[in-house]
């Protein structure tokens, strides 16, 4: 019965997405909803993009094991990313009226930087979308008591998302996000109240978390602990800023006010509401201590689904899996669309500069399909990797490769193409060296990479400006 309701829910979301798809007439409608979305939809779609499988399944498991210190990357880093986008980037980017974030790199630094940053951004989505696909497989596997394998569950999940994203693009994503976020917030809130009652009150749940030192936020006062804490914080906080899915939400707004306020409100809501799944996992330590302790050792991602399936009534099961599917589908649809639009607009166009709008829209849809298949294959071959790690690892490459060119391009007038290229090569180069050597064990690779990128940007940009006067003085002397 529960599985049947889940399939019914999938069909309803597909129907709503396809209805929204009727508004897509051109590539602007497909990629950025024709810049027509009001503030409330910008808030829900930014919130929805971040609130995915790792928030419901990954973060709670990490929180129980390492406390708030262990989840600095997500939700804190991820939430502050949206806040920073709204405060420092949205207004500047919105007025440029671009289709993708890589369009900015082309306008500011030229085609070479555009292509490099596009490839970096596209590559980063593999881990993020794969985490959502993996979670979809887990949901169908659990609901069917193993009758549906993880692999088949992944295929079903991806097909249900493709059914509307392929045709409706950003319009379908935004409308389904709006509906799914209502289900998510209401569903998880009701379950949290029910779980608190089962545990003997919310105060007992909070007291248990405090007794196990789960509220410890700051690292130990040693150089290594502090430096790795900072690196974890900036991975999604800064690495997610130069991302197409975030940019799409900014550019989809109907005006600059919605573009700037939407991400800020969405980020604050995300940080606050991410505590609900954490609360639920701690409550499960009271409701089913032995079972929860064992699952935390074996497969912590199954703690919440198992709690709901074995210790809560049918209504709560419907609410939970409706909320979980809402979270996963909203994140997955957004992150399937973003790299596909980037590929067509910023890489495919290099070889087809005269492509008309109708052909470009068709190519975007084909690319969504191809990227979905690639993600599905990657997710199946990556089984066993924790969802939280798949997500957090995805944004290191954008942090070291694309963040510095974006920030310096917007805020430093002396930034040049040479500086941007030097930043990309230095950042990714040192990051890879640290990952492949013992250096990464005592100094975080992503922090080393972003520092190298900053150095490359400054030296690369100023070198030509320093050399020119030297040449001029030399010629004057001669």
């Amino acid at each position: 019965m529960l599985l049947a309701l889940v399939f019914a829910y999938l069909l309803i979301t597909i129907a709503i997405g396809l209805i929204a798809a009727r508004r897509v007439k051109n590539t602007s409608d497909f990629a950025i909803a024709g810049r027509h979305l009001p503030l409330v939809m910008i808030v829900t779609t930014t919130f929805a993009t971040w609130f995915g499988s790792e928030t419901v399944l990954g973060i709670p498991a990490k929180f129980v094991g390492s406390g708030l210190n262990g989840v600095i990357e997500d939700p804190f880093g991820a939430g502050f990313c949206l806040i920073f986008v709204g405060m420092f980037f949205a207004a500047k980017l919105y007025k440029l009226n671009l289709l993708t974030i890589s369009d900015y790199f082309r306008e500011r630094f030229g085609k070479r930087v555009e292509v490099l940053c596009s490839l970096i951004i596209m590559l980063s989505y593999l881990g993020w979308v794969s985490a959502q696909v993996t979670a979809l497989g887990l949901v169908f596997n659990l609901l069917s008591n193993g009758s549906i394998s993880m692999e088949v569950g992944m295929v079903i999940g991806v097909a249900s998302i493709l059914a509307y994203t392929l045709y409706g693009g950003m319009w379908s994503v935004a409308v389904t996000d709006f509906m799914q976020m209502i289900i998510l917030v209401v569903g998880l809130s009701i379950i949290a109240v029910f779980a608190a009652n089962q545990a003997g009150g919310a105060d007992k749940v909070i007291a248990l978390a405090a007794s196990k030192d789960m509220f410890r936020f700051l690292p130990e006062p040693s150089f290594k602990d502090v430096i790795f804490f900072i690196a974890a914080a900036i991975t999604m906080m800064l690495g997610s800023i130069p991302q197409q899915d975030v940019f799409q939400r900014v550019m989809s707004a109907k005006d600059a006010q919605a573009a700037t306020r939407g991400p800020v409100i969405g980020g604050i809501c995300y940080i606050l509401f991410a505590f609900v799944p954490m609360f639920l996992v701690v409550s499960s330590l009271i409701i089913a201590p032995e079972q929860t302790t064992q699952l935390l050792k074996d497969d912590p991602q199954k703690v919440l689904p198992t709690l709901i399936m074995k210790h809560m009534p049918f209504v709560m099961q419907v609410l939970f899996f409706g909320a979980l599917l809402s979270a996963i589908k909203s994140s997955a649809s957004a992150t399937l669309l973003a790299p596909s639009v980037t590929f067509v607009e910023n890489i495919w166009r290099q070889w087809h500069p005269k492509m008309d709008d109708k052909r470009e829209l068709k190519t975007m849809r084909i690319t969504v399909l191809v990227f979905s298949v690639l993600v599905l294959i990657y997710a199946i071959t990556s089984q066993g990797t924790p969802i939280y790690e798949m997500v957090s690892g995805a944004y290191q490459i954008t942090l070291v490769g694309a963040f510095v060119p974006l920030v310096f391009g917007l805020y430093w007038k002396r930034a040049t193409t040479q500086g941007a290229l030097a930043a990309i090569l230095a950042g990714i180069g040192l990051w890879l060296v640290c990952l492949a050597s013992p250096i990464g064990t005592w100094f975080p690779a992503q922090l080393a990479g972003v520092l190298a990128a900053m150095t490359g940007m400054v030296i690369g940009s100023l070198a030509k400006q320093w050399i020119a006067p030297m040449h001029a003085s030399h010629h004057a002397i001669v």
Side-chain angles (χ1 to χ4, degrees):
M1 182 63 180
L2 183 58
L3 189 60
L5 286 173
V6 166
F7 276 113
Y9 173 67
L10 291 180
L11 291 173
I12 291 169
T13 58
I14 290 170
I16 292 171
L18 289 175
I19 291 170
R22 293 161 65 184
R23 302 194 65 164
V24 176
K25 309 296 182 191
N26 52 47
T27 52
S28 177
D29 290 334
F30 189 81
I32 52 175
R35 290 167 70 99
H36 289 311
L37 299 184
L39 175 61
V40 65
M41 292 189 78
I42 298 298
V43 172
T44 55
T45 197
T46 49
F47 177 86
T49 304
W50 257 221
F51 209 103
S53 60
E54 76 291 345
T55 316
V56 181
L57 303 176
I59 291 175
K62 196 85 171 175
F63 171 68
V64 171
S66 308
L68 288 179
N69 178 264
V71 295
I72 177 62
E73 202 164 334
D74 191 9
F76 295 103
F80 273 102
C81 163
L82 293 178
I83 294 169
F84 290 160
V85 165
M87 291 175 65
F88 303 113
F89 296 90
K92 285 179 174 288
L93 292 171
Y94 186 82
K95 68 182 181 182
L96 298 176
N97 194 21
L98 304 171
L99 202 64
T100 70
I101 188 71
S102 294
D103 285 349
Y104 168 77
F105 291 120
R106 181 186 64 244
E107 297 294 324
R108 182 67 173 84
F109 297 118
K111 288 187 176 182
R112 287 178 296 173
V113 176
E114 173 195 10
V115 172
L116 282 173
C117 287
S118 297
L119 291 171
I120 289 166
I121 290 167
M122 287 166 57
L123 187 61
S124 72
Y125 280 105
L126 272 177
W128 175 272
V129 190
S130 295
Q132 314 311 317
V133 173
T134 300
L136 285 168
L138 177 64
V139 168
F140 286 110
N141 182 257
L142 286 171
L143 287 176
S144 65
N145 291 318
S147 298
I148 298 175
S149 67
M150 284 282 290
E151 293 81 2
V152 173
M154 291 180 191
V155 173
I156 294 170
V158 169
S160 70
I161 297 163
L162 264 179
Y164 60 83
T165 308
L166 195 63
Y167 295 99
M170 190 61 199
W171 264 118
S172 291
V173 169
V175 172
T176 53
D177 278 356
F178 181 76
M179 179 200 75
Q180 287 169 165
M181 284 310 97
I182 294 172
I183 294 170
L184 172 68
V185 171
V186 172
L188 285 183
S189 298
I190 293 172
I191 291 167
V193 172
F194 191 85
N197 289 333
Q198 281 190 317
D203 55 329
K204 289 190 176 181
V205 178
I206 294 170
L208 177 63
S211 69
K212 292 183 177 291
D213 203 25
M214 292 181 192
F215 294 129
R216 182 176 62 84
F217 183 73
L218 296 175
E220 295 296 326
S222 69
F223 174 78
K224 184 177 181 179
D225 287 335
V226 170
I227 212 74
F228 273 87
F229 178 81
I230 292 170
I234 66 170
T235 298
M236 289 188 74
M237 187 185 297
L238 306 182
S240 299
I241 290 174
Q243 284 287 8
Q244 175 60 18
D245 56 323
V246 177
F247 178 83
Q248 276 180 297
R249 276 133 193 81
V250 169
M251 296 306 293
S252 297
K254 68 175 184 177
D255 53 44
Q257 188 178 74
T260 54
R261 292 182 180 179
V264 173
I265 298 170
I268 293 170
C269 291
Y270 175 70
I271 292 172
L272 293 176
F273 204 73
F275 277 93
V276 175
M278 295 186 224
F279 177 87
L280 287 170
V281 167
V282 177
S283 68
S284 71
L285 285 168
I286 299 174
I287 299 168
E290 293 180 7
Q291 184 183 61
T292 301
T293 303
Q294 189 60 46
L295 280 172
L296 286 170
K297 292 178 183 177
D298 299 338
D299 191 351
Q301 292 167 172
K302 290 184 177 179
V303 171
L304 264 186
T306 304
L307 170 72
I308 304 297
M309 291 288 285
K310 295 189 178 297
H311 300 280
M312 292 199 178
F314 182 74
V315 173
M316 295 298 147
Q317 293 175 20
V318 172
L319 285 173
F320 174 77
F321 284 102
L324 179 58
L325 280 173
S326 295
I328 298 169
K329 282 168 66 66
S330 59
S331 285
S333 59
T335 46
L336 281 176
L337 180 63
S340 305
V341 171
T342 299
F343 173 78
V344 175
E345 176 69 12
N346 304 108
I347 293 179
W348 188 258
R349 261 193 178 278
Q350 303 290 337
W351 291 278
H352 300 83
K354 296 181 179 180
M355 181 168 50
D356 60 34
D357 192 82
K358 186 176 180 181
R359 189 177 166 196
E360 185 177 7
L361 177 58
K362 182 180 179 181
T363 308
M364 282 183 181
R365 284 171 169 156
I366 293 170
T367 307
V368 170
L369 178 61
V370 173
F371 186 75
S372 300
V373 173
L374 293 175
V375 165
L376 187 58
I377 293 169
Y378 182 80
I380 291 171
T381 57
S382 299
Q383 285 188 69
T385 305
I387 288 172
Y388 190 92
E389 303 303 327
M390 291 176 78
V391 170
S392 62
Y395 290 107
Q396 288 193 24
I397 190 168
T398 44
L399 173 65
V400 302
F403 173 71
V404 169
L406 175 63
V407 175
F408 279 71
L410 286 172
Y411 284 98
W412 193 39
K413 291 182 179 180
R414 299 178 73 180
T416 66
T417 300
Q418 290 74 21
L421 289 169
I424 294 167
L425 295 175
I428 292 180
L430 187 56
W431 174 65
L432 290 173
V433 168
C434 291
L435 287 177
S437 70
I439 297 172
T441 60
W442 59 266
F443 196 91
Q446 68 267 45
L447 184 56
V450 78
L451 292 174
M454 290 179 184
T455 305
M457 171 61 82
V458 173
I459 295 174
S461 296
L462 295 180
K464 193 174 181 180
Q465 298 169 38
W466 287 337
I467 293 169
M470 289 171 64
H471 274 294
S473 62
H474 174 73
H475 286 297
I477 293 168
V478 173

